[in-house]
Each structure stands twice: as structure tokens, then as C-alpha cells.
Amino acid sequence: MCAALCTERNGKAMQVHAIGNGAYAAYISGAELKIRNIAPDHLEKMEKKELLELFSPQLKEAEGRQATLEIFPGREGVLLFLRFAAEKPVFFAFSSLDPLLDAVSECRENMPARLDHFDGAYILTLFPGADSATADAFGEFGARLPYPEGFFSHMCEHGRMLIETDALQVLRRAFHV
């Protein structure tokens, strides 16, 4: 995913920036608000659905997930934050680096992931969203682990974190896969 995406309405582009897993920020200047026929003092009273339309490209990629919209009006414009409900992570255990790297070479680049070493295995934690086919592909190379309540916390406490964020990209760069 690009760091910044644009949404257009009435010919005016608005920058929407990805700021983390399932979170986006947008700033709408006073001039843009005028073009969109939105009064700054009316913004907090607008229907959530109407404001969410500003983030329409991001909403398509997170269909079915609950969204939270925060509005911070200012003197010259408004700052909007859109956050999607966190997904349950999917865990895969790999006996060695070879099958892990084989799996990484088959996966799309922008999937949030973390890598830990726990109980003698490499544990890849994925946050795949609606793309279950990609997550299922990891099952060809490693064992999908159940998600008992508290597993992630237990692994973080007793395991060794190797790559905290963007594990797939880091592994791809480091091992040229």
C-alpha cells in the first residue's frame, strides 16, 4: 500500500496517509472543506457514514471490520483519524528458517507481520485482514497454531522477539527472497 492515497470529490484531491496497521489520517484544509460544502462547525454533527466516504478506498480494503472515526477540528481545517478494529492474529510455527523463507517468498509484501522465536520454533504472527488465501498459503510451509486466549502475551513474555514489525519485508530484504 502506498504511504499516501488520494480521494477525489468535486475535482479536489485529499491526502490520506496510512499511519499503522488499520489506521489512517487525513487533513482537510478550510479551502477543501469549502469545495466539499462542509462547514467546519457542522463537521462533528455530520453523519459518520458521510465522513467515512472521504476514506472510501481504505474502507474497501477493510470491509466488514468495525471502524472508529475521530474528528479534530481546528481553525484552518480538520484532522480526521480512521481506525479499524484490530484483527485476531494468525500464528504459524516453522521448524527452521528454510520453510519460513519459502513461505515469505510466496506472500504479498504489505501484510503486517511479526517474527518471534518461541519454544524452539520460529513463530510468524500475521495480521492478514480479509485475505485468508494468503494466510492459508503459509500453512503449506509451517503449522498453523490455534489462537488460545493469552497466547500472544505468553509468547511475548517467554519467547524472543526477532522482528517486531514488517517481518515479511525485513526477511525479504535480508535474505533476498
Side-chain angles (χ1 to χ4, degrees):
M1 171 189 292
C2 300
L5 300 166
C6 294
T7 60
E8 283 196 37
R9 190 170 194 172
N10 299 332
K12 182 66 178 173
M14 175 183 74
Q15 291 289 314
V16 177
H17 298 274
I19 57 172
N21 185 26
Y24 299 90
Y27 177 76
I28 307 174
S29 69
E32 286 179 275
L33 288 171
K34 257 185 201 171
I35 289 170
R36 295 170 190 273
N37 295 320
I38 300 172
D41 58 340
H42 177 69
L43 204 61
E44 290 182 345
K45 297 173 193 150
M46 285 178 68
E47 291 290 320
K48 181 180 176 182
K49 183 181 175 190
E50 196 176 348
L51 286 170
L52 286 173
E53 286 177 10
L54 299 173
F55 292 94
S56 59
Q58 292 75 27
L59 289 174
K60 286 179 185 148
E61 71 183 47
E63 279 184 42
R65 288 172 55 196
Q66 229 176 2
T68 303
L69 184 65
E70 295 179 82
I71 305 164
F72 298 93
R75 215 181 283 157
E76 301 295 322
V78 65
L79 184 60
L80 301 171
F81 288 102
L82 176 66
R83 288 184 175 80
F84 291 103
E87 304 163 351
K88 285 188 175 182
V90 179
F91 302 99
F92 289 93
F94 298 89
S95 58
S96 69
L97 276 177
D98 288 334
L100 171 63
L101 295 174
D102 289 341
V104 168
S105 70
E106 295 294 318
C107 182
R108 63 185 173 121
E109 267 191 60
N110 62 349
M111 182 181 288
R114 172 189 167 116
L115 182 64
D116 293 87
H117 194 264
F118 175 71
D119 235 5
Y122 292 97
I123 307 295
L124 185 66
T125 305
L126 300 176
F127 302 90
D131 192 356
S132 61
T134 303
D136 290 344
F138 279 91
E140 294 179 31
F141 304 94
R144 187 174 186 151
L145 301 176
Y147 181 68
E149 200 62 42
F151 173 74
F152 187 73
S153 298
H154 180 75
M155 181 181 66
C156 291
E157 184 178 336
H158 298 285
R160 187 169 146 227
M161 189 263 299
L162 301 175
I163 305 171
E164 188 173 13
T165 58
D166 300 325
L168 302 178
Q169 295 91 323
V170 171
L171 289 167
R172 239 183 237 101
R173 282 191 307 267
F175 292 95
H176 306 289
V177 293

